[in-house]
């Protein structure tokens, strides 16, 4: 599929060009100067206002992020480039991922594959397509053929987020199998087993980005443990071998049903409570429930920058209650997966909660997302997960 036609060209403003020079890979629509007659999802040559070439990008006709760079060089054969990028991403994981057969194989921009996420759950791959360029059929075929060639997988499942397709002006599409017919399997992280069912309608599968934090939490956890926002039991299952009693709380019944199956699979006795974490923590804190270990891992409260203040209030309320409920010498594991809440915002929030709760908090570890979700240093948006492990007196 060699593209011998002259490349489609997009000119960008000086501000867009300087963003690329700083190592970022996005150009916003407001910095696009000319993109006439460019079909959605095209591979484009990017140039500054004077026509100086800046590399090759994938173009979106509808996203605010109009340009996602894919190479500093001209690209004449996109399928070949994608194959190489995929192969490199998989080899990178082979080098840095330990103790699991589940990990993120490609993480979009962080692997120079903008708009493509591939997660591996043992022998099932779960694929998410986030941009027009990756959604087109030749690209899909290349991705599937490379993945099946390079990996020993039983099936490939596509997980569709309708909101993403709408933002990219892509026609609706159902989640489903792209290759093979296996839809359920079990996978292992840190010797803990988990069930995976692609058809179960769980939006994310599992939170693979917490894999290393599960292991870290288990190193400090003790006594009576509470896992708040437990989902399918990621933290709770890791705490169970080292704690006397473990309780997981989540508002999603389907998530707790899987959590319970996971507990059986690992022969662990864990109590699951379906409820609103805010209400439950309030009740428990005022009725003098006490714990030695508490995990707080809520969903992203700040979806946009504008939500920052209310998000921080939410985090503070939860962490304040958790701090009050910890016995002296207790362990708090507290997380935020909102990109818009920076690590320093999050630390300040916890510092302020510690003052209000009259507790002394010592940071044991400042952690982020697992290494298979790489952080590209010049693309701050690739770093989103914060996980603080602290000792509380
Ligand atoms: N700790 C989990 C991931 C948590 S994701 C893991 O490691 O796998 C966030 C979870 O919060 C989801 O399972 C969602 O169902 C739950 N949730 C969202 N709002 C909630 C609320 N108000 N009370 C309790 N659970 C909530």
């Amino acid at each position: 599929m060699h593209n011998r036609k002259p490349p489609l060209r997009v000119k960008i403003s000086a501000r867009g060009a300087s963003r690329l020079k700083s190592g970022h890979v996005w150009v916003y629509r407001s910095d696009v100067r000319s993109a006439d007659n460019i079909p959605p999802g095209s591979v484009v040559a990017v140039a500054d206002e004077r026509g100086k070439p800046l590399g090759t990008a994938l173009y979106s006709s509808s996203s605010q992020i109009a340009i996602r760079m894919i190479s500093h060089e001209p690209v004449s054969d996109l399928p070949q480039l994608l194959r190489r990028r995929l192969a490199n991403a998989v080899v990178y994981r082979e080098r840095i991922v330990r103790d699991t057969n589940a990990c993120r194989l490609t993480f979009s921009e962080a692997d120079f594959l903008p708009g493509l996420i591939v997660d591996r759950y043992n022998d099932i791959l779960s694929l998410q397509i986030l941009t027009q360029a990756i959604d087109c059929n030749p690209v899909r075929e290349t991705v599937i053929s490379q993945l099946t060639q390079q990996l020993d997988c039983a099936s490939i499942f596509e997980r569709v987020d309708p909101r993403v397709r709408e933002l990219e002006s892509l026609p609706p599409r159902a989640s489903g199998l792209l290759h093979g017919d296996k839809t359920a399997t079990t996978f292992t992280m840190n010797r803990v087993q988990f069930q995976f069912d692609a058809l179960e309608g769980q939006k994310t599968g599992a939170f693979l980005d917490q894999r290393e934090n599960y292991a870290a939490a288990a190193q400090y956890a003790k006594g009576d443990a509470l896992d708040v926002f437990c989902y399918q039991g990621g933290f709770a299952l890791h705490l169970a071998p080292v704690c006397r009693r473990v309780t997981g709380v989540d508002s999603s019944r389907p998530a707790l049903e899987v959590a319970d199956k996971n507990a059986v699979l690992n022969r662990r006795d864990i109590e699951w409570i379906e409820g609103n974490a805010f209400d439950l923590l309030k009740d428990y804190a005022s009725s003098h429930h006490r714990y030695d270990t508490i995990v707080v891992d809520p969903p992203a409260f700040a979806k946009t920058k504008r939500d920052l203040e209310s998000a921080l209030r939410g985090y503070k309320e939860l962490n304040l209650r958790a701090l009050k409920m910890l016995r002296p010498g207790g362990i708090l594991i507290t997380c935020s997966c909102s990109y818009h809440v920076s690590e320093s915002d999050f630390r300040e929030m916890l510092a302020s909660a510690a003052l209000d709760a009259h507790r002394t908090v010592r940071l044991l570890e400042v952690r982020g997302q697992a290494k298979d979700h790489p952080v590209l240093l010049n693309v701050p948006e690739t770093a989103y997960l914060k996980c603080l492990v602290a000792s509380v007196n």
Side-chain angles (χ1 to χ4, degrees):
M1 255 221 359
H2 288 267
N3 176 8
R4 297 196 192 288
K5 289 177 287 184
L8 297 162
R9 192 177 288 274
V10 172
K11 278 194 178 173
I12 62 173
S13 69
R15 190 175 61 177
S18 81
R19 194 174 167 79
L20 294 185
K21 278 178 199 137
S22 78
H24 210 290
V25 292
W26 291 348
V27 177
Y28 291 103
R29 187 155 309 282
S30 53
D31 285 318
V32 170
R33 284 293 163 264
S34 68
D36 301 334
N37 306 320
I38 305 232
S42 298
V43 178
V44 295
V46 181
D48 69 11
E49 274 171 318
R50 290 191 213 130
K52 184 175 167 243
L54 298 168
T56 305
L58 303 179
Y59 178 74
S60 168
S61 62
S62 91
S63 167
Q64 277 314 303
I65 305 168
I67 295 281
R68 293 170 197 255
M69 298 305 291
I70 192 157
S71 173
H72 297 299
E73 312 294 328
V75 173
S76 59
D77 188 341
L78 181 66
Q80 189 195 45
L81 178 72
L82 293 176
R83 281 183 183 278
R84 200 170 69 229
R85 294 260 195 273
L86 274 167
N88 288 342
V90 171
V91 168
Y92 186 68
R93 298 330 185 259
E94 283 165 2
R95 287 204 340 253
I96 57 156
V97 173
R98 298 273 172 279
D99 299 325
T100 185
N101 57 10
C103 72
R104 178 151 290 188
L105 291 174
T106 74
F107 184 32
S108 200
E109 276 78 4
D111 287 289
F112 311 109
L113 284 164
L116 179 66
I117 292 178
V118 183
D119 290 329
R120 173 178 175 187
Y121 296 96
N122 187 7
D123 52 353
I124 299 183
L125 303 185
S126 166
L127 195 134
Q128 292 172 66
I129 289 174
L130 311 172
T131 54
Q132 293 171 348
I134 303 292
D135 190 59
C136 72
N137 280 333
V139 170
R140 284 174 168 272
E141 279 156 26
T142 303
V143 169
I144 293 165
S145 121
Q146 178 64 32
L147 289 172
T148 49
Q149 257 173 45
Q150 197 176 3
L151 297 157
D152 189 17
C153 65
S155 62
I156 302 180
F157 187 82
E158 181 185 5
R159 195 179 288 285
V160 174
D161 180 345
R163 219 178 50 93
V164 168
R165 291 190 73 83
E166 213 173 292
L167 287 174
E168 286 284 294
S169 303
L170 291 166
R173 192 182 162 101
S175 293
L177 283 164
L178 304 177
H179 165 84
D181 50 23
K182 187 168 177 180
T183 57
T185 192
T186 58
F187 64 90
T188 309
M189 290 194 247
N190 313 306
R191 288 185 284 282
V192 176
Q193 285 183 283
F194 291 84
Q195 303 227 336
F196 175 74
D197 191 336
L199 299 180
E200 270 301 308
Q202 301 293 337
K203 222 176 109 199
T204 32
F207 289 92
L208 300 176
D209 52 2
Q210 291 282 26
R211 177 175 45 84
E212 294 168 358
N213 297 333
Y214 296 150
Q219 288 193 333
Y220 300 99
K222 56 182 177 162
D224 298 324
L226 182 65
D227 177 4
V228 191
F229 303 95
C230 65
Y231 187 59
Q232 298 176 350
F235 279 102
L237 291 156
H238 280 80
L239 302 187
V242 289
C243 291
R244 183 167 47 234
R245 203 163 55 90
V246 180
T247 304
V249 180
D250 203 281
S251 58
S252 159
R253 176 176 287 266
L256 292 179
E257 282 166 5
V258 180
D260 199 43
K261 285 186 194 163
N262 287 336
V264 172
L265 197 62
N266 293 279
R267 298 198 191 84
R268 298 290 172 198
D269 191 16
I270 300 175
E271 177 193 25
W272 307 109
I273 300 179
E274 182 186 343
N276 181 325
F278 285 90
D279 299 343
L280 184 123
L281 285 186
K282 196 171 164 190
D283 282 2
Y284 275 25
S286 59
S287 59
H288 304 289
H289 279 65
R290 291 293 174 263
Y291 291 91
D292 303 288
T293 305
I294 300 182
V295 177
V296 182
D297 181 21
F301 287 153
K303 299 261 193 237
T304 68
K305 222 174 174 166
R306 262 177 301 145
D307 306 329
L308 180 61
E309 261 182 48
S310 71
L312 286 170
R313 274 198 302 277
Y315 287 118
K316 184 168 171 189
E317 179 179 338
L318 294 168
N319 282 280
L320 179 64
R321 298 230 153 90
L323 287 172
K324 286 184 173 166
M325 281 157 63
L326 279 167
R327 294 192 180 113
I331 297 293
L332 175 69
I333 297 122
T334 183
C335 309
S336 164
C337 57
S338 298
Y339 161 70
H340 298 286
V341 175
S342 69
E343 190 188 299
S344 64
D345 292 336
F346 195 57
R347 283 169 74 144
E348 267 174 43
M349 173 285 297
L350 189 60
S352 155
L355 281 180
D356 290 5
H358 307 292
R359 305 299 297 261
T360 303
V361 176
R362 290 192 179 99
L363 279 184
L364 291 164
E365 291 197 30
V366 177
R367 307 184 56 88
Q369 61 225 44
K371 289 189 274 292
D372 45 325
H373 297 58
V375 173
L376 256 193
L377 200 52
N378 294 72
V379 183
E381 290 83 352
T382 54
Y384 63 96
L385 183 61
K386 279 81 45 194
C387 172
L388 304 179
V389 184
S391 160
V392 179
N393 278 100

